[in-house]
Amino acid sequence: MTITLTRTDPQGADREALVTFHTSARFPFHVRPQPTRVDLDRAIDRGAFRDDEHDSWWLDDERLGRVGLVVLEDLQDPAPLLDLRLAPAFRGQGLGVPALRAVTDHVFRTMPDVTRFEGQTREDNTAMRRVFLRAGWVQEAHYRESWPVEGGAPLASVAYGVLRRDWETGRVTTFAWDAVTLDD
Ligand SMILES: CC(C)(COP(=O)(O)OP(=O)(O)OC[C@H]1O[C@@H](n2cnc3c(N)ncnc32)[C@H](O)[C@@H]1OP(=O)(O)O)[C@@H](O)C(=O)NCCC(=O)NCCS
């Protein structure tokens, strides 16, 4: 599976496609699982898909065509943040790992100031958590009760990251949690 990235044109040719992509699907692990047209119009107008801090790309599979979308945030920082979404028809087929690898390659190849790349997901999003690990990302945090859930109690947010030097070498740098305890 070869996934390529095509930059979106949110204020122009891709506006309607961005609205349709989000409103025709459910994203059960996102804070807004079923975004509306109003949500999308507002997001596009405020630059959530492209401004100084944000950018976005369609994910195109060589065989299947357009399978998803990735949005990056915090692009003025050396550690941008990922939001990766496959359309429902393309979930559960092993596309998550090649998609994340393609996005990671794109970030480190085209953004020389980026030293690390980050992503967070809800604790029960097992598919995304496995995709992070299979793509060589490392879990770095577990924020208790920090993920708002519509109509329910908040869940934990789990944070993953990949370092530029790991991407360059193909190694996965792990770390000891080195917790300070009161037992000693
Ligand atoms: C999350 C997402 C990118 C994962 O990609 P995917 O191609 O659907 O994932 P896969 O089918 O390859 O599943 C990845 C792994 O999780 C496992 N898995 C999938 N659903 C699971 C579930 N409900 N419980 C346990 N394991 C599950 C798969 O068996 C696979 O295991 P493997 O690592 O042994 O192969 C995709 O489903 C998606 O876009 N979902 C909606 C948006 C979203 O939640 N994005 C995350 C925001 S950062």
Side-chain angles (χ1 to χ4, degrees):
M1 287 169 194
T2 303
I3 305 259
T4 53
L5 277 65
T6 306
R7 197 179 186 201
T8 74
D9 177 9
Q11 307 282 348
D14 286 324
R15 186 178 186 105
E16 200 52 35
L18 284 168
V19 172
T20 306
F21 177 81
H22 289 89
T23 55
S24 63
R26 258 188 73 77
F27 300 95
F29 300 108
H30 277 74
V31 174
R32 290 280 288 162
Q34 201 127 32
T36 63
R37 169 171 277 275
V38 173
D39 293 332
L40 265 297
D41 280 334
R42 282 199 190 123
I44 291 168
D45 290 343
R46 70 162 193 271
F49 296 95
R50 195 191 298 184
D51 65 7
D52 285 352
E53 291 281 4
H54 302 85
D55 212 339
S56 55
W57 292 262
W58 298 113
L59 301 171
D60 296 318
D61 176 82
E62 58 181 341
R63 255 181 336 108
L64 302 167
R66 191 141 290 175
V67 297
L69 178 78
V70 64
V71 180
L72 301 186
E73 296 175 27
D74 296 343
L75 283 168
Q76 296 297 314
D77 289 359
L81 193 64
L82 161 95
D83 181 5
L84 175 70
R85 301 176 191 229
L86 298 180
F90 302 108
R91 296 175 193 163
Q93 302 173 35
L95 284 164
V97 173
L100 182 57
R101 285 192 190 279
V103 173
T104 307
D105 287 350
H106 180 82
V107 164
F108 286 128
R109 279 203 185 113
T110 66
M111 302 176 190
D113 295 336
V114 170
T115 54
R116 44 177 282 119
F117 187 21
E118 299 176 358
Q120 294 207 20
T121 196
R122 217 169 79 173
E123 61 180 314
D124 55 345
N125 194 349
T126 309
M128 190 63 219
R129 294 183 65 177
R130 292 184 72 88
V131 164
F132 276 130
L133 295 178
R134 288 215 183 270
W137 291 49
V138 173
Q139 183 178 335
E140 297 179 329
H142 181 105
Y143 300 104
R144 297 170 301 158
E145 298 186 16
S146 77
W147 195 286
V149 176
E150 272 182 9
L155 290 172
S157 177
V158 189
Y160 293 81
V162 59
L163 302 178
R164 172 180 287 280
R165 60 186 161 86
D166 277 10
W167 173 77
E168 283 168 350
T169 60
R171 277 199 295 264
V172 178
T173 307
T174 52
F175 61 96
W177 279 94
D178 192 21
V180 171
T181 72
L182 300 178
D183 299 334
D184 306 326

Tab-separated table of all heavy atoms in Angstrom, residues 30 84-86 91-96 120 125-128 130-131 134, ligand 1:
chain	number	residue	atom	x	y	z
A	30	HIS	N	-13.452	10.970	18.510
A	30	HIS	CA	-13.129	12.393	18.532
A	30	HIS	C	-14.062	13.140	19.495
A	30	HIS	O	-15.137	12.661	19.830
A	30	HIS	CB	-13.233	12.999	17.125
A	30	HIS	CG	-11.997	12.769	16.303
A	30	HIS	ND1	-11.682	11.547	15.761
A	30	HIS	CD2	-10.973	13.605	15.987
A	30	HIS	CE1	-10.530	11.642	15.114
A	30	HIS	NE2	-10.070	12.883	15.236
A	84	LEU	N	-5.387	12.272	12.394
A	84	LEU	CA	-5.451	11.380	11.231
A	84	LEU	C	-6.833	10.736	11.184
A	84	LEU	O	-7.286	10.179	12.183
A	84	LEU	CB	-4.370	10.308	11.408
A	84	LEU	CG	-4.284	9.180	10.388
A	84	LEU	CD1	-3.786	9.705	9.054
A	84	LEU	CD2	-3.332	8.104	10.893
A	85	ARG	N	-7.494	10.818	10.020
A	85	ARG	CA	-8.832	10.227	9.913
A	85	ARG	C	-8.961	9.474	8.597
A	85	ARG	O	-8.783	10.072	7.527
A	85	ARG	CB	-9.912	11.316	9.927
A	85	ARG	CG	-9.911	12.168	11.174
A	85	ARG	CD	-10.950	13.260	11.048
A	85	ARG	NE	-10.788	14.235	12.106
A	85	ARG	CZ	-11.780	14.681	12.870
A	85	ARG	NH1	-13.010	14.257	12.684
A	85	ARG	NH2	-11.546	15.569	13.801
A	86	LEU	N	-9.327	8.197	8.681
A	86	LEU	CA	-9.702	7.453	7.477
A	86	LEU	C	-11.218	7.521	7.347
A	86	LEU	O	-11.939	7.520	8.353
A	86	LEU	CB	-9.273	5.989	7.599
A	86	LEU	CG	-7.768	5.726	7.743
A	86	LEU	CD1	-7.514	4.224	7.855
A	86	LEU	CD2	-6.989	6.307	6.567
A	91	ARG	N	-11.542	1.959	6.946
A	91	ARG	CA	-11.021	1.582	8.254
A	91	ARG	C	-10.967	0.060	8.359
A	91	ARG	O	-11.684	-0.658	7.657
A	91	ARG	CB	-11.931	2.148	9.370
A	91	ARG	CG	-11.934	3.666	9.384
A	91	ARG	CD	-12.927	4.226	10.409
A	91	ARG	NE	-13.119	5.663	10.157
A	91	ARG	CZ	-14.131	6.386	10.640
A	91	ARG	NH1	-15.051	5.812	11.409
A	91	ARG	NH2	-14.224	7.664	10.365
A	92	GLY	N	-10.119	-0.428	9.248
A	92	GLY	CA	-10.077	-1.867	9.517
A	92	GLY	C	-9.443	-2.699	8.423
A	92	GLY	O	-9.646	-3.898	8.338
A	93	GLN	N	-8.646	-2.064	7.553
A	93	GLN	CA	-8.009	-2.811	6.448
A	93	GLN	C	-6.501	-2.660	6.466
A	93	GLN	O	-5.836	-2.888	5.455
A	93	GLN	CB	-8.518	-2.284	5.099
A	93	GLN	CG	-9.997	-2.362	4.909
A	93	GLN	CD	-10.441	-1.664	3.631
A	93	GLN	OE1	-9.736	-1.686	2.622
A	93	GLN	NE2	-11.596	-1.026	3.675
A	94	GLY	N	-5.971	-2.180	7.576
A	94	GLY	CA	-4.518	-2.053	7.656
A	94	GLY	C	-3.945	-0.817	6.990
A	94	GLY	O	-2.742	-0.738	6.745
A	95	LEU	N	-4.798	0.169	6.688
A	95	LEU	CA	-4.287	1.384	6.033
A	95	LEU	C	-3.710	2.387	7.031
A	95	LEU	O	-2.972	3.297	6.649
A	95	LEU	CB	-5.408	2.069	5.248
A	95	LEU	CG	-5.794	1.418	3.932
A	95	LEU	CD1	-7.146	1.953	3.453
A	95	LEU	CD2	-4.727	1.685	2.880
A	96	GLY	N	-4.051	2.234	8.305
A	96	GLY	CA	-3.613	3.207	9.304
A	96	GLY	C	-2.095	3.323	9.387
A	96	GLY	O	-1.550	4.440	9.448
A	120	GLN	N	-2.260	12.518	19.958
A	120	GLN	CA	-2.985	12.053	21.140
A	120	GLN	C	-4.250	11.364	20.681
A	120	GLN	O	-4.849	11.755	19.674
A	120	GLN	CB	-3.375	13.225	22.042
A	120	GLN	CG	-2.172	13.899	22.644
A	120	GLN	CD	-2.484	14.576	23.965
A	120	GLN	OE1	-3.472	14.263	24.628
A	120	GLN	NE2	-1.636	15.497	24.352
A	125	ASN	N	-9.348	4.036	21.975
A	125	ASN	CA	-9.130	3.951	20.526
A	125	ASN	C	-7.975	2.971	20.262
A	125	ASN	O	-6.863	3.352	19.871
A	125	ASN	CB	-8.829	5.336	19.937
A	125	ASN	CG	-8.946	5.345	18.419
A	125	ASN	OD1	-9.054	4.298	17.787
A	125	ASN	ND2	-8.910	6.539	17.837
A	126	THR	N	-8.283	1.688	20.471
A	126	THR	CA	-7.236	0.656	20.373
A	126	THR	C	-6.601	0.628	18.992
A	126	THR	O	-5.382	0.449	18.870
A	126	THR	CB	-7.851	-0.724	20.686
A	126	THR	OG1	-8.567	-0.626	21.920
A	126	THR	CG2	-6.785	-1.789	20.807
A	127	ALA	N	-7.410	0.800	17.945
A	127	ALA	CA	-6.843	0.744	16.589
A	127	ALA	C	-5.770	1.818	16.417
A	127	ALA	O	-4.662	1.539	15.951
A	127	ALA	CB	-7.953	0.902	15.551
A	128	MET	N	-6.074	3.057	16.831
A	128	MET	CA	-5.092	4.138	16.667
A	128	MET	C	-3.876	3.890	17.548
A	128	MET	O	-2.735	4.139	17.139
A	128	MET	CB	-5.722	5.495	16.985
A	128	MET	CG	-4.843	6.681	16.595
A	128	MET	SD	-4.567	6.756	14.812
A	128	MET	CE	-2.843	7.277	14.738
A	130	ARG	N	-2.612	1.069	18.434
A	130	ARG	CA	-1.776	0.032	17.809
A	130	ARG	C	-1.060	0.590	16.577
A	130	ARG	O	0.083	0.251	16.288
A	130	ARG	CB	-2.621	-1.186	17.457
A	130	ARG	CG	-3.121	-1.928	18.683
A	130	ARG	CD	-3.862	-3.189	18.293
A	130	ARG	NE	-2.967	-4.223	17.790
A	130	ARG	CZ	-2.358	-5.118	18.546
A	130	ARG	NH1	-2.540	-5.125	19.850
A	130	ARG	NH2	-1.558	-6.021	18.012
A	131	VAL	N	-1.780	1.432	15.838
A	131	VAL	CA	-1.162	2.044	14.652
A	131	VAL	C	0.062	2.866	15.073
A	131	VAL	O	1.137	2.777	14.456
A	131	VAL	CB	-2.199	2.909	13.895
A	131	VAL	CG1	-1.518	3.857	12.917
A	131	VAL	CG2	-3.190	2.009	13.162
A	134	ARG	N	2.882	0.379	15.909
A	134	ARG	CA	3.406	-0.334	14.727
A	134	ARG	C	4.210	0.605	13.828
A	134	ARG	O	5.091	0.164	13.096
A	134	ARG	CB	2.268	-0.964	13.943
A	134	ARG	CG	1.674	-2.164	14.652
A	134	ARG	CD	1.230	-3.231	13.669
A	134	ARG	NE	0.596	-4.346	14.357
A	134	ARG	CZ	1.261	-5.405	14.803
A	134	ARG	NH1	2.562	-5.511	14.633
A	134	ARG	NH2	0.609	-6.384	15.418
B	1	LIG	C1	-7.712	4.965	13.873
B	1	LIG	C2	-7.453	4.567	12.428
B	1	LIG	C3	-6.484	5.573	11.757
B	1	LIG	C4	-6.788	3.180	12.441
B	1	LIG	O1	-6.501	2.778	11.148
B	1	LIG	P1	-7.073	1.372	10.597
B	1	LIG	O2	-6.480	1.130	9.267
B	1	LIG	O3	-8.577	1.395	10.687
B	1	LIG	O4	-6.491	0.373	11.671
B	1	LIG	P2	-6.291	-1.197	11.503
B	1	LIG	O5	-7.515	-1.845	11.006
B	1	LIG	O6	-5.031	-1.448	10.761
B	1	LIG	O7	-6.117	-1.630	13.027
B	1	LIG	C5	-4.922	-1.408	13.705
B	1	LIG	C6	-4.760	-2.504	14.749
B	1	LIG	O8	-5.760	-2.344	15.774
B	1	LIG	C7	-6.551	-3.527	15.883
B	1	LIG	N1	-7.911	-3.117	16.184
B	1	LIG	C8	-8.738	-2.438	15.378
B	1	LIG	N2	-9.900	-2.198	16.028
B	1	LIG	C9	-9.776	-2.764	17.255
B	1	LIG	C10	-10.640	-2.891	18.382
B	1	LIG	N3	-11.862	-2.349	18.379
B	1	LIG	N4	-10.181	-3.540	19.464
B	1	LIG	C11	-8.959	-4.084	19.471
B	1	LIG	N5	-8.083	-3.997	18.442
B	1	LIG	C12	-8.508	-3.350	17.339
B	1	LIG	C13	-6.413	-4.208	14.532
B	1	LIG	O9	-6.642	-5.610	14.659
B	1	LIG	C14	-4.966	-3.907	14.184
B	1	LIG	O10	-4.146	-4.784	14.944
B	1	LIG	P3	-2.645	-5.185	14.499
B	1	LIG	O11	-1.795	-4.038	14.978
B	1	LIG	O12	-2.369	-6.444	15.206
B	1	LIG	O13	-2.658	-5.333	13.012
B	1	LIG	C15	-8.781	4.522	11.612
B	1	LIG	O14	-9.589	3.463	12.086
B	1	LIG	C16	-9.562	5.833	11.682
B	1	LIG	O15	-9.291	6.737	10.925
B	1	LIG	N6	-10.529	5.918	12.607
B	1	LIG	C17	-11.369	7.098	12.785
B	1	LIG	C18	-10.577	8.357	13.154
B	1	LIG	C19	-9.691	8.182	14.362
B	1	LIG	O16	-10.078	7.630	15.395
B	1	LIG	N7	-8.472	8.722	14.256
B	1	LIG	C20	-7.497	8.763	15.326
B	1	LIG	C21	-7.222	10.195	15.713
B	1	LIG	S1	-5.507	10.537	15.994
